Amino acid sequence: MIVVVMGVAGAGKTVVGQRLAPALDAEFIDADDHHSPDSVAKMRAGTPLIDADRWPWLARLNGMLREREARGRSAVLACSALKAAYREALLEELPEARVVHLRGAKPLIASRLAARRGHYMNPGLLESQFAALEEPADAIVVDIEGTPEAIVATVLEQLAPG
């Protein structure tokens, strides 16, 4: 099983993905760990990425997911995947992949970003994240008000067959 946990910065993608992966006997992959140094520098400086920054990154991530699937391994990817075109690139040749959208109110997410330490994402980019967000039509949508454990339980219920 391939699962992409998506949402704006501060929605909890990494925290939820890290808890979801063991429950699915899956490898956890954090897309943030695979940005180019130039992209990290841009985000740290508060400069939004442009599509030219993202396409090679999305292709690398898609290759990682396809490689796991080819080996019969499951993977959970935490990735913003804000636009439909980005999700299409991520999920190319992965027709069975599932998308989980962590959705929350801007004030809650802003407070999380303000409290976060040790991450390169500049909290000033939150507005651009919400502006870029294209809500997925076919995702499992989970509100982020609950605990990470409650969110994972909801996701697991939705992923269960039948």
Side-chain angles (χ1 to χ4, degrees):
M1 176 179 288
I2 302 295
V3 178
V4 174
V5 179
M6 64 154 290
V8 298
K13 300 178 296 290
T14 298
V15 170
V16 169
Q18 287 174 331
R19 287 168 171 77
L20 181 62
L24 296 173
D25 191 27
E27 177 182 352
F28 175 70
I29 303 167
D30 193 333
D32 286 346
D33 295 339
H34 300 280
H35 275 294
S36 71
D38 288 343
S39 290
V40 171
K42 276 184 163 183
M43 289 183 280
R44 187 171 278 131
T47 303
L49 299 182
I50 59 173
D51 285 350
D53 300 315
R54 289 188 183 95
W55 296 125
W57 172 67
L58 293 166
R60 279 192 304 278
L61 295 169
N62 172 260
M64 294 171 71
L65 294 175
R66 289 176 31 202
E67 184 269 331
R68 269 61 172 190
E69 186 181 66
R71 287 191 291 133
R73 295 286 305 146
S74 295
V76 173
L77 172 70
C79 181
S80 53
L82 298 176
K83 293 186 178 185
Y86 303 162
R87 293 187 293 275
E88 288 171 19
L90 271 176
L91 302 177
E92 185 177 341
E93 297 185 36
L94 295 165
E96 302 300 315
R98 302 291 305 271
V99 174
V100 174
H101 178 198
L102 300 181
R103 183 165 57 192
K106 197 182 298 183
L108 172 61
I109 294 172
S111 70
R112 288 180 176 186
L113 284 176
R116 188 158 72 174
R117 300 288 175 255
H119 193 280
Y120 57 77
M121 180 67 172
N122 186 315
L125 292 175
L126 185 59
E127 286 296 328
S128 70
Q129 294 254 306
F130 272 101
L133 177 62
E134 296 172 1
E135 301 257 350
D138 56 351
I140 296 168
V141 179
V142 183
D143 189 278
I144 63 167
E145 290 275 340
T147 65
E149 293 76 19
I151 293 168
V152 169
T154 299
V155 171
L156 290 170
E157 287 173 19
Q158 296 293 316
L159 288 173

